[in-house]
Amino acid sequence: QVQLVESGGGLVQAGGSLRLSCAASGGTFSTYVMGWFRRPPGKEREFVAATGWSDNATYYADSGKGRFTISRANAKNMVYLQMNSLKPEDTAIYYCTAAARDLRAGGGDYWGQGTQVTVSS
């Protein structure tokens, strides 16, 4: 059973940056696809970014391209989401997710509890 714990959320002004972290335990981390989803207020959960077996394989939703960077450190069982040039519409609960398959369509088999990101205008 894989456990995921997010951290790094908070309140930031528009144009600012945040780095989210996700600590994984209980599985063979290096074999999992890792991703980030978010749930904006009053909206459905949506895909943000994902990374496959190596750092070279990364995927982004259009909303985050050029601003967000996903990375992973397999030796530390960590995945990160660096978010720059944040906008008020980035306000959401951000979730870390993991699966042994492509998770971009609906997320993975394992989820963290989420971390709140609030961007003020």
Side-chain angles (χ1 to χ4, degrees), residues 5-104:
V5 179
E6 304 96 335
S7 61
L11 174 64
V12 63
Q13 289 187 333
S17 298
L18 280 175
R19 187 195 195 204
L20 306 183
S21 299
C22 174
S25 61
T28 307
F29 180 77
S30 62
T31 66
Y32 281 92
V33 176
M34 301 297 298
W36 290 92
F37 277 66
R38 68 186 184 185
R39 186 189 299 274
K43 297 184 179 181
E44 296 294 316
R45 191 166 57 191
E46 61 188 26
F47 170 72
V48 176
T51 177
W53 303 96
S54 71
D55 284 342
N56 290 329
T58 56
Y59 310 91
Y60 298 94
D62 288 343
S63 59
K65 285 181 180 177
R67 300 187 300 124
F68 294 178
T69 303
I70 188 171
S71 61
R72 65 190 294 164
N74 286 341
K76 297 181 179 180
N77 285 7
M78 296 290 295
V79 64
Y80 307 98
L81 184 68
Q82 177 67 43
M83 303 187 294
N84 299 327
S85 302
L86 284 162
K87 305 174 182 180
E89 51 263 44
D90 294 318
T91 295
I93 301 173
Y94 283 72
Y95 297 92
C96 179
T97 184
R101 56 172 173 79
D102 189 347
L103 50 73
R104 288 173 286 175

